Amino acid sequence: MGRDDAVGTVKPTSPAAARGAQTELSLAIAGVRAAIVMRDATLADIVRQRYKGFLSGGKPRWRIALDVDTVVPPAVPGDVVVRRDGHPARLAVERGDFSAILDLDRRCGRVALNAPNEFSIDSFLRIACTLALLDVPGLVVHAASLIRGDKAYLFCGRSGAGKTTLTRLSPDATLLSDELSIVTMSNGHARCHGTPFWGELARAGEDRCAPLHAVFFLHHGGRHTVEAVRPGDALKQLLSTVLFFAREPELTARVLGIASNLVESVPCFDLHFRPDAGFWELVDHV
Amino acid sequence: MSDRYVVRNPETAWRVYDGQAVILLAGDSTLNTLNAVGTYIWREADGTTPVSAIVARVCEEFEVEPAQAERDSADFIDKLCQRGLLMVTESPQERR
């Protein structure tokens, strides 16, 4: 199925839906395909435009109903709360601008946004990815990621670490993300995936993936240096950049397990760099 | 402490690399790292081994004087209890 086929209109199935046609868009991020079902035309337009590089055909594994509900009680602005909602696999996700329920077992959810806002949709999808990827298994990491010569490289760091700078210095590499990257594990092998989640670059990554060749923890420096990091120290650094909001012990244990597998499978390094492309000479030779 | 038992908070997830435990507490996502002695105590904190027995093993493993080991272990256990990583009980936990 081509990409144009991913955008379809389904018939209304309830009195509420009868007010207007539903739009169903299928998004695939890191291979996790989700049908996003919307009754609000503005919302559908935003999703179609914002995630155009990640619209996909095929059968979705997830189904998310996305709607606008102006009576959503405002939480603390910017504060994300993810808590169990009865069943262990059913999670309530709340922020000042949206409220959602996700069922990890049934792979479905519904989201109520305060307003048809691109930023709110993106924030919800980022959080949803952290939860949906656990089954893959995979992680969302505060990291820039690039493909160069069929190898993917992950550059981890919080805000200000230089993620966007590094991607701007790499015009010949394929951009996977300048802000939030996704790594999945399969049989002891890590792969890095492009994401639609951007930082200062304001540009989505390519919908591609490649074997993860190395992980770098970013540090500003006066010169370029690369130093190997042992798995224990790498795990600590990696965990400090993993995006995850749920507080459930079982889910936390899964995050730790995936992160452990990653640092045991892929060589990790501290990368001190200054803002010029010379760091690739070191990165290419690790 | 000698008649007490320590047990790891079940809401923690942990791994040991190079003899050092990396512990993640689910409730607040805090990350803690323990040194070799701390990691030894952490591993032994199964809720069924008395603290006195753990201290005795620390003395053997790390060649520490019993008085110092008892004092340091008590401080360490207090600190981890404050951080919500360990819990102290008066009686042994049932084995699962």
Side-chain angles (χ1 to χ4, degrees), chain A residues 21 26 55 79 88 121 130 142 148 150 183 187 196 206 249 259 283:
Chain A
S26 181
L55 294 174
D79 235 18
I121 298 167
T130 68
H142 276 287
R148 193 157 130 130
D150 296 329
V183 179
N187 299 321
E206 300 281 327
V283 169

Side-chain angles (χ1 to χ4, degrees), chain A residues 230-232 235-236 239 246-249 252-253 256-257 260 263-264, chain B residues 10-11 13-15 17-18 20 22 24-29 31 33:
Chain A
R230 296 163 76 97
L235 179 62
K236 283 184 277 181
L239 286 173
R247 298 291 180 252
E248 297 301 313
T252 303
L256 182 69
S260 298
V263 300
E264 290 166 14
Chain B
E11 297 199 351
W14 55 285
R15 291 285 189 282
Y17 288 98
D18 302 322
Q20 298 194 333
V22 178
L24 195 55
L25 179 60
D28 57 8
S29 289
L31 194 60
T33 309

